[in-house]
Amino acid sequence: MAPPIALPETFARAVAGLRSAAPRPEIVLEEVGAPQRLAPYAFALSAAVLRDGDEVAAGRLILLHDPAGHEAWQGTLRLVTYVTAELEVDLAADPLLPGVGWTWLTDALDAQDARHRAIGGTVTQTMSTRFGELAGPPAAGDIEIRASWTPVDDDLAPHLLAWCALLASTAGLPPPGVTALPERRPAGAA
């Protein structure tokens, strides 16, 4: 049996911070295999956002650590995320959606005091219409947010909570403590 590999303290503290934060109940986290070629050390989480038992958004958060540092990262730790959700067609077609999606991330980081630098990413909105053998529901829309940033320190609990807030915003969940009103049916509807 091979001896256990000693992890660098910075990476071990960062992983512990990610594991210590508890998301809101609609967000289910799971540790998953991390890509092995991006950095000497990596850790990953996947998330599913559930509303009434249905998955309405999903994401992945990857922690990378290079003890030698990385010039582009401006540090030794890097968080990388991918978040996606299906949207109503009207919202998915809104030309302001990419800017709004980006502020969901930056506002969440600010609200959790998740100090960071070297942030970058993309927000993609797509529309799909099915035809022929794939014909089905009417047009559908999606949003994808891909981003990465460098945490200023190795306490990553605030970063995980910010990421969970991004997932909640992308999924259209109301803020914690706010109850969404049921959809109003037109008079005479069954």
Side-chain angles (χ1 to χ4, degrees):
M1 180 188 279
I5 298 172
L7 296 175
E9 262 188 65
T10 298
F11 181 70
R13 278 194 305 270
V15 169
L18 290 175
R19 286 177 171 156
S20 72
R24 55 192 287 177
E26 302 95 335
I27 300 174
V28 178
L29 299 179
E30 179 182 359
E31 291 183 23
V32 294
Q36 298 301 306
R37 292 188 267 185
L38 300 176
Y41 301 92
F43 174 81
L45 292 168
S46 71
V49 183
L50 305 175
R51 185 184 317 126
D52 300 326
D54 295 325
E55 184 175 301
V56 293
R60 182 166 284 205
L61 182 68
I62 302 168
L63 167 64
L64 304 174
H65 176 57
D66 186 342
H70 199 287
E71 188 176 331
W73 297 355
Q74 300 177 22
T76 63
L77 294 172
R78 189 77 173 164
L79 287 167
V80 180
T81 189
Y82 168 77
V83 172
T84 185
E86 190 172 310
L87 300 174
E88 293 177 14
V89 175
D90 293 347
L91 183 57
D94 189 330
L96 299 176
L97 179 63
V100 170
W102 188 252
T103 61
W104 289 336
L105 171 60
T106 58
D107 287 354
L109 289 166
D110 290 345
Q112 293 297 326
D113 197 27
R115 298 179 329 127
H116 61 279
R117 62 177 159 255
I119 189 170
T122 62
V123 178
T124 305
Q125 63 193 107
T126 59
M127 298 286 295
S128 301
T129 304
R130 299 169 191 228
F131 296 96
E133 294 295 318
L134 296 177
D142 294 294
I143 184 172
E144 295 177 355
I145 301 171
R146 296 175 187 264
S148 64
W149 64 93
T150 298
V152 172
D153 58 41
D154 58 13
D155 177 10
L156 298 192
H159 294 268
L160 180 78
L161 294 174
W163 182 61
C164 288
L166 168 65
L167 285 159
S169 294
T170 305
L173 296 181
V178 174
T179 302
L181 295 173
E183 288 187 33
R184 185 173 177 183
R185 295 184 185 171

